[in-house]
PDB file of all heavy atoms in Angstrom:
ATOM      1  N   VAL A 166      97.473  73.804  79.822  1.00 94.00           N
ATOM      2  CA  VAL A 166      96.541  73.770  80.942  1.00 94.00           C
ATOM      3  C   VAL A 166      96.070  75.172  81.287  1.00 94.00           C
ATOM      4  O   VAL A 166      96.834  76.133  81.238  1.00 94.00           O
ATOM      5  CB  VAL A 166      97.212  73.094  82.163  1.00 94.00           C
ATOM      6  CG1 VAL A 166      96.294  73.164  83.387  1.00 94.00           C
ATOM      7  CG2 VAL A 166      97.543  71.654  81.861  1.00 94.00           C
ATOM      8  N   ASN A 167      94.796  75.259  81.647  1.00 95.00           N
ATOM      9  CA  ASN A 167      94.145  76.515  82.052  1.00 95.00           C
ATOM     10  C   ASN A 167      94.038  77.539  80.929  1.00 95.00           C
ATOM     11  O   ASN A 167      93.850  78.747  81.203  1.00 95.00           O
ATOM     12  CB  ASN A 167      94.858  77.142  83.254  1.00 95.00           C
ATOM     13  CG  ASN A 167      94.695  76.303  84.512  1.00 95.00           C
ATOM     14  OD1 ASN A 167      93.629  75.738  84.756  1.00 95.00           O
ATOM     15  ND2 ASN A 167      95.756  76.219  85.295  1.00 95.00           N
ATOM     16  N   ASP A 168      94.139  77.090  79.705  1.00 94.00           N
ATOM     17  CA  ASP A 168      93.994  77.994  78.561  1.00 94.00           C
ATOM     18  C   ASP A 168      93.279  77.260  77.434  1.00 94.00           C
ATOM     19  O   ASP A 168      93.578  76.087  77.167  1.00 94.00           O
ATOM     20  CB  ASP A 168      95.356  78.485  78.081  1.00 94.00           C
ATOM     21  CG  ASP A 168      95.208  79.505  76.967  1.00 94.00           C
ATOM     22  OD1 ASP A 168      94.519  80.527  77.173  1.00 94.00           O
ATOM     23  OD2 ASP A 168      95.762  79.270  75.882  1.00 94.00           O
ATOM     24  N   PHE A 169      92.345  77.925  76.764  1.00 94.00           N
ATOM     25  CA  PHE A 169      91.684  77.324  75.606  1.00 94.00           C
ATOM     26  C   PHE A 169      91.159  78.432  74.705  1.00 94.00           C
ATOM     27  O   PHE A 169      90.963  79.572  75.142  1.00 94.00           O
ATOM     28  CB  PHE A 169      90.566  76.374  76.026  1.00 94.00           C
ATOM     29  CG  PHE A 169      89.589  76.923  77.024  1.00 94.00           C
ATOM     30  CD1 PHE A 169      88.540  77.743  76.627  1.00 94.00           C
ATOM     31  CD2 PHE A 169      89.722  76.631  78.382  1.00 94.00           C
ATOM     32  CE1 PHE A 169      87.634  78.245  77.555  1.00 94.00           C
ATOM     33  CE2 PHE A 169      88.819  77.123  79.307  1.00 94.00           C
ATOM     34  CZ  PHE A 169      87.779  77.944  78.897  1.00 94.00           C
ATOM     35  N   GLN A 170      90.957  78.066  73.438  1.00 93.00           N
ATOM     36  CA  GLN A 170      90.481  79.025  72.442  1.00 93.00           C
ATOM     37  C   GLN A 170      89.295  78.453  71.688  1.00 93.00           C
ATOM     38  O   GLN A 170      89.193  77.237  71.493  1.00 93.00           O
ATOM     39  CB  GLN A 170      91.580  79.362  71.423  1.00 93.00           C
ATOM     40  CG  GLN A 170      92.680  80.249  71.936  1.00 93.00           C
ATOM     41  CD  GLN A 170      93.694  79.483  72.751  1.00 93.00           C
ATOM     42  OE1 GLN A 170      94.063  78.382  72.395  1.00 93.00           O
ATOM     43  NE2 GLN A 170      94.140  80.064  73.853  1.00 93.00           N
ATOM     44  N   LYS A 171      88.422  79.333  71.233  1.00 94.00           N
ATOM     45  CA  LYS A 171      87.298  78.919  70.411  1.00 94.00           C
ATOM     46  C   LYS A 171      87.766  78.515  69.028  1.00 94.00           C
ATOM     47  O   LYS A 171      88.680  79.113  68.461  1.00 94.00           O
ATOM     48  CB  LYS A 171      86.289  80.067  70.289  1.00 94.00           C
ATOM     49  CG  LYS A 171      85.585  80.419  71.576  1.00 94.00           C
ATOM     50  CD  LYS A 171      84.578  81.547  71.346  1.00 94.00           C
ATOM     51  CE  LYS A 171      83.864  81.894  72.645  1.00 94.00           C
ATOM     52  NZ  LYS A 171      82.885  82.994  72.455  1.00 94.00           N
ATOM     53  N   GLY A 172      87.090  77.503  68.496  1.00 91.00           N
ATOM     54  CA  GLY A 172      87.309  77.106  67.123  1.00 91.00           C
ATOM     55  C   GLY A 172      86.256  77.729  66.231  1.00 91.00           C
ATOM     56  O   GLY A 172      85.687  78.779  66.540  1.00 91.00           O
ATOM     57  N   ASP A 173      85.969  77.064  65.118  1.00 89.00           N
ATOM     58  CA  ASP A 173      85.042  77.623  64.135  1.00 89.00           C
ATOM     59  C   ASP A 173      83.575  77.576  64.564  1.00 89.00           C
ATOM     60  O   ASP A 173      82.764  78.368  64.103  1.00 89.00           O
ATOM     61  CB  ASP A 173      85.186  76.873  62.807  1.00 89.00           C
ATOM     62  CG  ASP A 173      86.582  77.031  62.224  1.00 89.00           C
ATOM     63  OD1 ASP A 173      87.145  78.149  62.339  1.00 89.00           O
ATOM     64  OD2 ASP A 173      87.108  76.062  61.668  1.00 89.00           O
ATOM     65  N   ILE A 174      83.234  76.599  65.424  1.00 94.00           N
ATOM     66  CA  ILE A 174      81.819  76.410  65.758  1.00 94.00           C
ATOM     67  C   ILE A 174      81.633  76.289  67.269  1.00 94.00           C
ATOM     68  O   ILE A 174      80.989  75.373  67.762  1.00 94.00           O
ATOM     69  CB  ILE A 174      81.232  75.172  65.035  1.00 94.00           C
ATOM     70  CG1 ILE A 174      82.060  73.911  65.340  1.00 94.00           C
ATOM     71  CG2 ILE A 174      81.174  75.397  63.537  1.00 94.00           C
ATOM     72  CD1 ILE A 174      81.370  72.625  64.948  1.00 94.00           C
ATOM     73  N   ALA A 175      82.149  77.233  68.037  1.00 96.00           N
ATOM     74  CA  ALA A 175      82.140  77.149  69.504  1.00 96.00           C
ATOM     75  C   ALA A 175      80.783  77.467  70.132  1.00 96.00           C
ATOM     76  O   ALA A 175      80.543  77.121  71.295  1.00 96.00           O
ATOM     77  CB  ALA A 175      83.202  78.087  70.065  1.00 96.00           C
ATOM     78  N   GLU A 176      79.904  78.115  69.410  1.00 96.00           N
ATOM     79  CA  GLU A 176      78.634  78.532  70.009  1.00 96.00           C
ATOM     80  C   GLU A 176      77.826  77.345  70.499  1.00 96.00           C
ATOM     81  O   GLU A 176      77.587  76.386  69.768  1.00 96.00           O
ATOM     82  CB  GLU A 176      77.803  79.334  68.996  1.00 96.00           C
ATOM     83  CG  GLU A 176      76.540  79.924  69.588  1.00 96.00           C
ATOM     84  CD  GLU A 176      75.773  80.802  68.611  1.00 96.00           C
ATOM     85  OE1 GLU A 176      76.332  81.126  67.544  1.00 96.00           O
ATOM     86  OE2 GLU A 176      74.624  81.155  68.923  1.00 96.00           O
ATOM     87  N   GLY A 177      77.387  77.426  71.776  1.00 96.00           N
ATOM     88  CA  GLY A 177      76.597  76.348  72.356  1.00 96.00           C
ATOM     89  C   GLY A 177      77.434  75.275  73.032  1.00 96.00           C
ATOM     90  O   GLY A 177      76.887  74.293  73.535  1.00 96.00           O
ATOM     91  N   TYR A 178      78.733  75.465  73.044  1.00 97.00           N
ATOM     92  CA  TYR A 178      79.651  74.520  73.684  1.00 97.00           C
ATOM     93  C   TYR A 178      80.500  75.242  74.732  1.00 97.00           C
ATOM     94  O   TYR A 178      80.711  76.446  74.631  1.00 97.00           O
ATOM     95  CB  TYR A 178      80.593  73.887  72.663  1.00 97.00           C
ATOM     96  CG  TYR A 178      79.917  73.104  71.566  1.00 97.00           C
ATOM     97  CD1 TYR A 178      79.676  73.681  70.328  1.00 97.00           C
ATOM     98  CD2 TYR A 178      79.548  71.780  71.762  1.00 97.00           C
ATOM     99  CE1 TYR A 178      79.073  72.969  69.308  1.00 97.00           C
ATOM    100  CE2 TYR A 178      78.948  71.057  70.749  1.00 97.00           C
ATOM    101  CZ  TYR A 178      78.717  71.649  69.522  1.00 97.00           C
ATOM    102  OH  TYR A 178      78.122  70.931  68.514  1.00 97.00           O
TER     103      TYR A 178
END
Side-chain angles (χ1 to χ4, degrees):
Chain A
V166 175
N167 292 322
D168 184 56
F169 50 81
Q170 286 80 41
K171 293 181 180 180
D173 298 322
I174 55 166
E176 186 176 349
Y178 300 97

